[in-house]
Amino acid sequence: MSDHQFRQAARPDVFAAPDPLVPPSSFPDCSSTSPRKLPFLIQRDGTWLYRGSAVKRKAMLCMFSSMLTRDPEGIYWLKTPMEQGIIQVEDVPFVAVELDFRGTCGRQQNLCFRTNMDELICIGPEHPLSCDWDRPSEECAGVPYIHMRDGEGAFPIQARVTRAVHYELAALAVPGHVKGKPCLGVWSQDCFFPLSRPV
């Protein structure tokens, strides 16, 4: 992003002004003794908020999301050519909103997902799908996440699979094994990804 593009993105008419009812003391501490905290929040449904107001310009959201990274402690940072700082993320930054089935059935099929930022990610060795079995969900099942890209440490940047897309995945599930334990899952790019907890 050029300096001109960032200045355009930072124009006061792009983002809503701070709520006058919110006291300044509640804003993030941006002192020089601690990392700067930018007034962004990515909600669980993928909505970006700036000072409590939704950011609706898709081109701007795609630009900002491409500059999102994650440090070795798992904290999310927005790093632009002009400034950088920590932002809050309720769950993960991206949401997989659409499933595209490609290829033939079986081990060589290719399962691709479109995210809320219109990125196309095909699960496989470079972009594995995993389920968080311990995270509460309305379905009382594992919540599927897609590895979008690496962070700066062990914590990746992920996309959560929406409930509707999860149902589509479940319809493609076949019996398989993980470490010798049976479960249901899906194949993509010759990799098996469990959708049920191996027992």
Side-chain angles (χ1 to χ4, degrees):
M1 180 173 67
S2 69
D3 291 352
H4 173 72
Q5 287 174 312
F6 184 81
R7 285 194 295 270
Q8 286 294 100
R11 284 169 22 208
D13 63 318
V14 170
F15 296 117
D19 188 338
L21 299 179
V22 178
S25 60
S26 67
F27 290 161
D29 177 17
C30 297
S31 66
S32 58
T33 59
S34 61
R36 183 175 183 193
K37 296 180 181 178
L38 303 179
F40 284 97
L41 168 65
I42 304 178
Q43 295 181 307
R44 192 174 189 276
D45 65 359
T47 300
W48 283 59
L49 301 181
Y50 180 81
R51 297 190 185 275
S53 297
V55 182
K56 297 182 179 179
R57 292 190 181 183
K58 189 63 172 285
M60 183 178 300
L61 290 172
C62 292
M63 178 179 63
F64 281 148
S65 65
S66 70
M67 298 176 180
L68 193 65
T69 187
R70 200 173 184 190
D71 70 16
E73 296 181 356
I75 298 171
Y76 291 95
W77 287 74
L78 186 61
K79 296 186 176 182
T80 76
M82 299 293 291
E83 64 178 339
Q84 64 180 20
I86 294 171
I87 69 170
Q88 290 182 285
V89 179
E90 285 186 347
D91 185 13
V92 294
F94 299 97
V95 181
V97 296
E98 186 176 308
L99 171 63
D100 182 22
F101 176 90
R102 299 183 179 189
T104 58
C105 295
R107 298 171 68 103
Q108 300 304 321
Q109 70 186 358
N110 202 3
L111 301 180
C112 300
F113 298 81
R114 182 178 63 83
T115 74
N116 56 322
M117 295 299 162
D118 293 331
E119 289 186 74
L120 187 64
I121 300 293
C122 298
I123 60 173
E126 294 183 5
H127 302 284
L129 180 141
S130 60
C131 288
D132 187 341
W133 311 112
D134 300 320
R135 183 167 303 192
S137 71
E138 295 179 6
E139 297 85 10
C140 298
V143 180
Y145 291 88
I146 301 167
H147 182 119
M148 297 282 292
R149 59 181 185 262
D150 292 335
E152 296 173 3
F155 296 96
I157 296 175
Q158 297 176 301
R160 191 187 72 260
V161 176
T162 63
R163 186 190 308 177
V165 175
H166 191 181
Y167 288 154
E168 292 183 58
L169 267 181
L172 298 173
V174 295
H177 291 82
V178 174
K179 296 181 179 180
K181 297 181 178 180
C183 62
L184 292 175
V186 292
W187 287 94
S188 184
Q189 298 183 20
D190 202 28
C191 294
F192 182 75
F193 301 102
L195 294 177
S196 65
R197 189 193 296 266
V199 294

